[in-house]
Amino acid sequence: MGDSPAEQHKHEDAEDVVELILRDHRTMEDLFREMRSVDADREAALHRLADLLIAHAEAEEAEVYPVLRRYRQVDEEDVEHSVEEHTEGNEALLALLEAGAPGGEDWDEKLEALVQAVNHHLDEEERSLINDTRENVGSGRRAELGRAFARARRDQLASAPGRLENVRRIVKEAAGPSGS
């Protein structure tokens, strides 16, 4: 027997790329709160954030952004700017991963730089690309994108992408041949 309309809508939301991306954004914000709390396991929260941040960005760049570039109503400059902001977030993540134990003065400073870089990106992406996608990409296509995004994200997460050496590699590759 088929799903009721409400159940079907719930399934569509679970696959909608917009909803999946927004869910990750809220999780990142929750992890930032945890990382700021002296009562939390800040190092564990950092590792969860690092994995999610890298997996999320890599999945967006591999599966979502190339498709959005083909939509007239989606500004390609917004897509390129989001890629640049992923790089800035990755650089701030690397600085925090290299800062030593949580709670030190340098660690807290690097955490705030990461929070600022990522929150700036989340805000801009939600106001531009996410809204453009919601308004201009049909629900069926958003569901296809959601499944591709979720699959790429899951595959990334399986490799623990927030490992220090992997983040170093990603930052170095983004810097190009002149970045040593």
Side-chain angles (χ1 to χ4, degrees), residues 36-84:
R36 285 175 164 156
S37 171
V38 295
D39 295 328
D41 184 345
R42 299 168 85 186
E43 193 156 345
L46 171 59
H47 292 299
R48 288 195 318 272
L49 176 81
D51 284 341
L52 178 59
L53 190 63
I54 296 297
H56 177 92
E58 295 285 314
E60 280 183 333
E61 290 181 26
E63 300 296 337
V64 180
Y65 291 175
V67 172
L68 294 182
R69 283 185 176 101
R70 296 194 295 262
Y71 279 85
R72 257 183 317 131
Q73 302 89 342
V74 176
D75 188 340
E76 185 163 344
E77 287 181 24
D78 287 342
V79 176
E80 292 308 316
H81 186 66
S82 284
V83 172
E84 291 168 15

Side-chain angles (χ1 to χ4, degrees), residues 72-141:
R72 257 183 317 131
Q73 302 89 342
V74 176
D75 188 340
E76 185 163 344
E77 287 181 24
D78 287 342
V79 176
E80 292 308 316
H81 186 66
S82 284
V83 172
E84 291 168 15
E85 288 181 343
H86 284 171
T87 299
E88 291 168 9
N90 292 342
E91 290 167 351
L93 174 62
L94 178 58
L96 181 58
L97 289 170
E98 292 177 334
E105 187 176 314
D106 196 39
W107 196 88
D108 288 334
E109 183 181 309
K110 303 291 188 205
L111 171 59
E112 291 312 311
L114 175 62
V115 169
Q116 184 176 9
V118 172
N119 280 341
H120 171 83
H121 169 66
L122 301 183
D123 179 58
E124 281 193 357
E125 185 176 64
E126 289 176 18
R127 285 188 292 116
S128 60
L129 287 180
I130 296 297
N131 281 337
D132 287 349
T133 301
R134 186 182 284 127
E135 292 172 8
N136 298 299
V137 179
S139 62
R141 187 64 174 127

